Amino acid sequence: MSLTSETDERATQADDVKLRLENLDKHFAVNQGILSRILRGESSQYVHAVDDVSVEIADGEAFGLAGESGCGKTTLGKTAIKLTEPTNGRIIFDGEDVTDLSGGDLKAFRREAQVIHQNPYDSINPRFTVYEWVEEPLIVHDIGTPEEREARVLETLEMAGLEPPEAYAHEYPTELSGGERQRVGIARALVLEPSFLLADEPASMLDVSIRASILEVFERLQDELGLTALYISHDLSLLKHICDRIGIMYLGELVEVGPADEIIDNPQHPYTQALVSSVPRVDPDVDRERIELVGEVPDAVDVPSGCRFHPRCPKLIPPEDVDLEQDVWRAVANLRRDLLEDDLALADDETPTPAAIRAEYGVPDELSDSHVDEVLSAALETYTQSDEATLDRLREALESPCERGSIPTYQATGVQRSQCLLHDPDGPYQVE
């Protein structure tokens, strides 16, 4: 499913597309280790780390990926530059299909796409000096004479902000601060003169006082070198500062894409709205509603049907014949879900009476919609009897449109695409 807006399509037609991902999947078998396979056998279950992601990144663009931990953003970034192999889909880089590259062709691609890792304390070999660590890619790719490599290493160290470079060249990582180590990582990524840079949480392991200077390095280098960059971060404020566009990921899917300012100031997808509402504001006088999400992120092995966000969504769409306030409908939906999964959230000493269950979930004793109240009451009355017919009725009668099939993506605004039925121009749903 593509999340490239009409505006973005016009832009990428006018400018070269550096990276295009087409229906990209990355799934991991649950039993991957040898011991696990011996003890448990081959598994037919898979972690859906990345599912059906399509997006374009223009030449020279800074594109950000955001989302909760475990949403798949790092896996998407690594798969996009073939640090991990995709399960399905295509990777187009500079107009060429690089999905199945191997051997010498893959090695040549490595020169063009480099990565800066999250942890500068783990990503540098402590046995190498700074000079040896930055020079190594040049040796691996058989680039230049020793003199030419020395000049290139010193030049790159200076570009990364390690000045004078000669003073750092023969230091070991243990002699450097976290910020200096990250600059070494930047220098190593730049020494091959790549055209594409993947920066995975490049400032998250650094002190707040150092982050700003590292971000300034990225901005300067991107302007000076014309780099295309993919920044991965859970920090929306950081991405707004350094990115042209932002993509929001949830449970392996890309649910919204748009210009950085619009994503932060005018989020369209309910999940994006919840993320933005949690970003701290400097001005304490700014009045902003905090959106509290219910439950936990679902299992990436057994992903929900329909919209993957629907078990937690504060704007869950009710069936057409249901007439309830949104907060009441969300409470009913939570109770319905746990009834169907036989996983009621009750205290151990709680007597599971219908009234006690309703109170625990915040569902009124009597609902204003008599049809919903009758279906729910019947399911609660027969809860301990495991009456399948009643549960089937509960499942079918109160099924949200968000639970059905595959959710398309829609043009939410002139510059934003959203994977949400609320933005279906031909649908009966209203965006609140």
Side-chain angles (χ1 to χ4, degrees), residues 17-194:
V17 176
K18 173 58 69 173
L19 177 69
R20 182 167 73 249
L21 307 180
E22 298 180 353
N23 308 110
L24 199 68
D25 293 339
K26 180 59 184 178
H27 302 160
F28 297 97
V30 172
N31 295 344
Q32 283 194 310
I34 295 176
L35 181 60
S36 181
R37 288 200 294 268
I38 291 173
L39 295 176
R40 302 182 180 90
E42 294 290 340
S43 175
S44 60
Q45 294 184 311
Y46 293 88
V47 175
H48 295 253
V50 175
D51 257 345
D52 198 24
V53 170
S54 297
V55 70
E56 292 181 350
I57 301 178
D59 193 15
E61 181 180 27
F63 188 91
L65 272 180
E68 293 171 282
S69 296
C71 69
K73 54 188 184 294
T74 293
T75 301
L76 177 60
K78 290 184 175 181
T79 306
I81 62 171
K82 288 186 63 64
L83 291 180
T84 61
E85 291 296 317
T87 304
N88 292 299
R90 295 206 308 160
I91 305 167
I92 311 298
F93 189 86
D94 278 339
E96 297 184 8
D97 191 336
V98 301
T99 313
D100 299 317
L101 288 186
S102 60
D105 292 335
L106 180 58
K107 184 177 179 180
F109 172 69
R110 291 275 183 261
R111 290 190 60 177
E112 289 297 318
Q114 286 288 302
V115 59
I116 297 171
H117 298 283
Q118 176 180 1
N119 191 341
Y121 296 94
D122 290 341
S123 59
I124 302 176
N125 191 325
R127 296 186 177 184
F128 282 59
T129 64
V130 168
Y131 181 88
E132 292 169 337
W133 186 243
V134 177
E135 183 194 27
E136 187 185 37
L138 297 174
I139 296 174
V140 169
H141 288 271
D142 193 24
I143 297 174
T145 64
E147 292 77 15
E148 290 170 337
R149 290 199 295 268
E150 179 180 6
R152 177 61 186 162
V153 169
L154 294 176
E155 177 189 15
T156 308
L157 289 174
E158 186 172 3
M159 290 169 58
L162 294 172
E163 302 180 73
E166 295 83 2
Y168 288 93
H170 301 291
E171 299 283 341
Y172 283 89
T174 54
E175 302 172 292
L176 304 177
S177 68
E180 290 170 334
R181 292 187 193 200
Q182 193 64 297
R183 291 173 189 270
V184 172
I186 294 171
R188 179 180 166 95
L190 293 177
V191 75
L192 292 175
E193 301 181 273

Side-chain angles (χ1 to χ4, degrees), residues 15 26 39 88-89 98 107 127 141 176 209 215 222 230 252 254 262 331 334 351 353 357 370 398 401 422-423:
D15 302 319
K26 180 59 184 178
L39 295 176
N88 292 299
V98 301
K107 184 177 179 180
R127 296 186 177 184
H141 288 271
L176 304 177
S209 59
L215 296 179
Q222 192 165 354
L230 173 57
L254 203 55
E262 292 296 318
N334 293 343
T351 302
T353 64
I357 295 172
S370 59
L398 300 186
L422 291 173
H423 298 107

